[in-house]
Amino acid sequence: TPRLGIPTVYLSDGPAGLRIEPNREGQNRTYFCTAFPIGTLLSSTWDVNLVEEVGESMGNEAMEYGIDVILAPGANIHRHPLCGRNFEYYSEDPVLTGNIGAAIVNGIESKGIGASIKHFAVNNQETARYFNDAKVSERALREIYLKGFEIMVKKSQPWTVMSSYNKVNGTFTSESKYLLSDILRKEWGFKGVVMSDWFGGQNAPAQISAGNDLLEPGTKKQWDALIEAQKSGELSITDIDTSAKRILKLILGSRKMKNYQYGNNPELKKHAEISRRSASDGMVLLKNESTLPLTSGKNVALFGVTSYDFIVGGTGSGDVNEAYFISLEDGLNNVGFKTNEIAKLAFEDHKAANKKAFSRPQGLSAMINPYSPPQIIYNNELVRKVVKSADVGIITIGRNSGEGGDRVEKDDFLLTQQEKDMIKMVCNAFHEVKKKVIVVLNIGGVIETASWKDGPDAILCAWQGGQEGGNAVADILSGRVNPSGKLPMTFPVLLNDHASNANFPLDGEPLSITSLLFPQQKSENVKNIKNKGFTNYEEGIYVGYRHFDKANLPVSFPFGFGLSYTSFEYSNYNVVLKGDTINIDMKIKNTGGYPGKDVVQVYVTKVMTDIDRPVQELKVFHKTRKLEPMETELLILKIPLKDLSFWDEKARDWKLEKGTYTIKSGSSSKDIKVSGNIELDNL
């Protein structure tokens, strides 16, 4: 308030970069922000130092534009491939999620800007998100859905936490004293502000009593309810004062309180370089049969709409108003390739014939209608004509999704018939004349790959790389960058191979503008409808690779997988228990012909366990520096002994099981290179 000299602080969306209004009344300039890679791509780097640089860049832009808190990062678990906001989140694994999330927060807050980790907690679907009740066991809650948040709180101490819309075991998260006070604050030591998601929760006094300090955006109805509750004694003055103190502490710690004079001039050129570098470092090479890298100067035929109309990122609050974006075509031209004119003309003719469908939706409409123009229908005659003048074919498969709606299986997780026909047609035509075909996946979430991956000669999962995405793909295809990304989730053979598929909304009901603006209207109507009114997390802790390992199911590409243009050797492996810490020493040597980086992943297995637990679990990871051919890096990694604990539901506490543990290190969950045992007998 002006009377007390307390300034207004400003919040901005920002999982992939600041989402601010680019135009301001009476000013003749545009306020652009950098569109960074989506969260899933950043986690695919497995590089906390690089991700922290991205956070620092976001923090600089917030600082320069007068923003005090960035509403990011999103840290919910990829419980199921069809969650519409998986692109904003990091992984199916909480250790990867927590460490990547902490890196972003530390980067943002190094600039004196707050971060808001979200959506706390168990917000793993968009369908009926305002009132869905996630019914989850205490063990799954602790080991899977809260663990990433716990790591972030302890490693980065974010300024704020955003409570989610949904209920957990019958109570709205923003009204749950158990989650917000008992666990978040008392157990984990969180010191900051908890804010609701926009219009989240139903009972304002209960929210404040639970420890949800800030109601966003705040309504007169909530204000009246709070005043009445204070008068009646339902809401104590102690709870009011506690929340007020936390909010004041945030304001007092902000740059606004220090009278910082922001200049509206962020380092956009530098941030574009960081965006490009992080994008290429997180793209995952899934297949390469003597095809990549490509020799510069080749004539490249681009097939598929998204080869030209490349997708920068998802929609909703994860979107960014960027100054420009680089398409795949632009990126290839920038590194010396020639794009085939016949293939390009086919795209231009298609676009001209579908002008309306190529108009991007704006405002609220963009949130609930992800941009997805119609696909090109190719024929054999056109493709064979292209092959004559092209050296190599590149097919791009694109997918978009966003806030407010979940994806579906048909024509989304599964390829469309046109896409299947395109891959078959292009591969046949190019292979007949001994030419290669590459598939680029310009996607935000997992798609089916098992049925068609044998066709092309190389597959690059490019994700959605932000404004420099096309340049980043070209860097990898040309060999300017050696791919080093690893999958942060499993690519299954079938959608139904996921245990969570038995309890997930599969109809993809989209968010309407009415439900966006009036979120609580439908709650009573769907209370007893499975996966809308409630979702049973019957799979428990068996999410992602934990499930596939336990069920011994084949996968298309495993968790942690990613190819390189070079090879690595693991040696001198030593595992020693010192006090309450496991110390792991090893050497990583680049044994191939290209400079490159590897991601060392350490999994732990309990030998002869007495309880039901996963076959293996990721506990620590490290991305090497860029190693020249025949160069070696010595790694020393540590695992606190408490990280081997499981949640004992009877004792309502973490328990460490006695006996033998195998500490395994490798370059994916299915490619273990070295291992060693430790004995825990004296607990």
Side-chain angles (χ1 to χ4, degrees), residues 52-127:
E52 188 164 338
E53 280 190 67
V54 173
E56 289 169 4
S57 304
M58 290 179 177
N60 172 263
E61 294 188 15
M63 181 177 73
E64 283 297 311
Y65 285 141
I67 300 299
D68 302 288
V69 178
I70 301 176
L71 303 176
N76 294 105
I77 293 293
H78 290 201
R79 174 180 176 251
H80 189 278
L82 298 188
C83 174
R85 289 182 89 170
N86 274 353
F87 73 94
E88 288 186 49
Y89 306 145
Y90 294 130
S91 175
E92 67 187 23
D93 181 82
V95 168
L96 181 56
T97 293
N99 284 282
I100 295 293
I104 280 278
V105 173
N106 283 327
I108 291 170
E109 297 194 345
S110 71
K111 299 297 182 182
I113 303 300
S116 184
I117 62 174
K118 62 184 188 181
H119 307 91
F120 188 72
V122 206
N123 183 186
N124 309 111
Q125 66 182 61
E126 287 296 286
T127 301

Side-chain angles (χ1 to χ4, degrees), residues 229-268:
Q230 192 274 321
K231 286 179 182 176
S232 70
E234 178 191 347
L235 180 61
S236 74
I237 195 69
T238 302
D239 287 340
I240 295 169
D241 286 347
T242 299
S243 288
K245 283 176 189 173
R246 290 173 182 149
I247 294 166
L248 281 170
K249 184 183 175 186
L250 184 149
I251 296 169
L252 291 170
S254 72
R255 285 185 172 273
K256 285 286 193 320
M257 200 65 193
K258 298 174 178 64
N259 203 28
Y260 176 74
Q261 300 300 306
Y262 55 90
N264 284 321
N265 289 302
E267 301 172 72
L268 293 178

